[in-house]
Amino acid sequence: ASYIYVLAATMVTSLRKNRKKRGHVSAGHGRVGKHRCHPGGRGNAGGQHHQRILFDRFHPGYFGKVGMRNYNKNKHDVRAYAPVVNVDSIWALLTPEQRSEATSKKDVAPVIDVTKKGYFKVLGKGRIPSQPVIVRARFFSKIAEKKIREAGGVCELVA
């Protein structure tokens, strides 16, 4: 049988600083002020009142709000969810075999459906090879559409 021993992270009593203070009435906490439980409050209490200087110095901007609320936000809205892919990485969505086949056959344009790969929108960053290609997506930016058309390709919208 395997036993698990839990070692307590407590210090030996004989080594505690309090041993030296035995016999001295207020043990270093003063007679007038007294050692009371939580004189400044527990945790982050008083951040806007008696501990304001600490919060303003070390945690600026901790309190308050920023921006506008969107009360009627629908997380599952189609317009809100649109993972993007750039024009320069469209060809990378094809397998190496499909890519070599597409470069060898110039008369047939390969069909790249980005929605099957989990992307909804095609953006226009980067270059695209000057080879016709049919790209299917839900959304296209103007620049992406222009670059695909200049390469001799077609942009197809998919619902």
Side-chain angles (χ1 to χ4, degrees):
S2 60
Y3 295 100
I4 299 172
Y5 294 101
V6 179
L7 297 173
T10 53
M11 199 162 128
V12 182
T13 309
S14 61
L15 295 177
R16 286 183 180 277
K17 194 182 274 188
N18 192 43
R19 299 311 304 164
K20 285 208 185 297
K21 294 176 182 173
R22 284 286 182 220
H24 303 278
V25 175
S26 30
H29 290 292
R31 284 172 182 273
V32 179
K34 296 181 193 64
H35 186 214
R36 292 281 158 86
C37 288
H38 295 274
R42 293 170 194 248
N44 288 339
Q48 290 181 304
H49 305 286
H50 58 281
Q51 288 176 11
R52 168 163 273 185
I53 288 169
L54 177 135
F55 272 77
D56 287 350
R57 270 180 74 186
F58 301 111
H59 310 288
Y62 180 79
F63 294 106
K65 300 175 183 178
V66 174
M68 294 185 298
R69 294 283 313 274
N70 186 355
Y71 296 113
N72 199 23
K73 187 174 183 181
N74 181 2
K75 277 190 269 184
H76 308 295
D77 191 1
V78 174
R79 291 160 298 184
Y81 179 78
V84 297
V85 62
N86 280 306
V87 160
D88 58 0
S89 52
I90 277 180
W91 280 90
L93 299 177
L94 292 176
T95 61
E97 298 88 45
Q98 289 173 323
R99 245 179 283 161
S100 61
E101 189 181 315
T103 50
S104 61
K105 294 181 181 177
K106 295 287 183 186
D107 55 336
V108 180
V111 178
I112 303 173
D113 194 345
V114 297
T115 54
K116 296 255 172 75
K117 300 289 182 180
Y119 299 105
F120 281 10
K121 187 169 186 174
V122 180
L123 301 180
K125 180 182 160 238
R127 289 185 182 164
I128 187 169
S130 58
Q131 184 183 343
V133 63
I134 300 167
V135 183
R136 290 183 179 152
R138 284 195 181 180
F139 310 103
F140 290 92
S141 70
K142 287 179 187 172
I143 298 166
E145 199 169 346
K146 183 180 157 210
K147 286 184 180 180
I148 293 167
R149 291 238 171 93
E150 281 175 358
V154 180
C155 299
E156 284 187 7
L157 291 173
V158 179

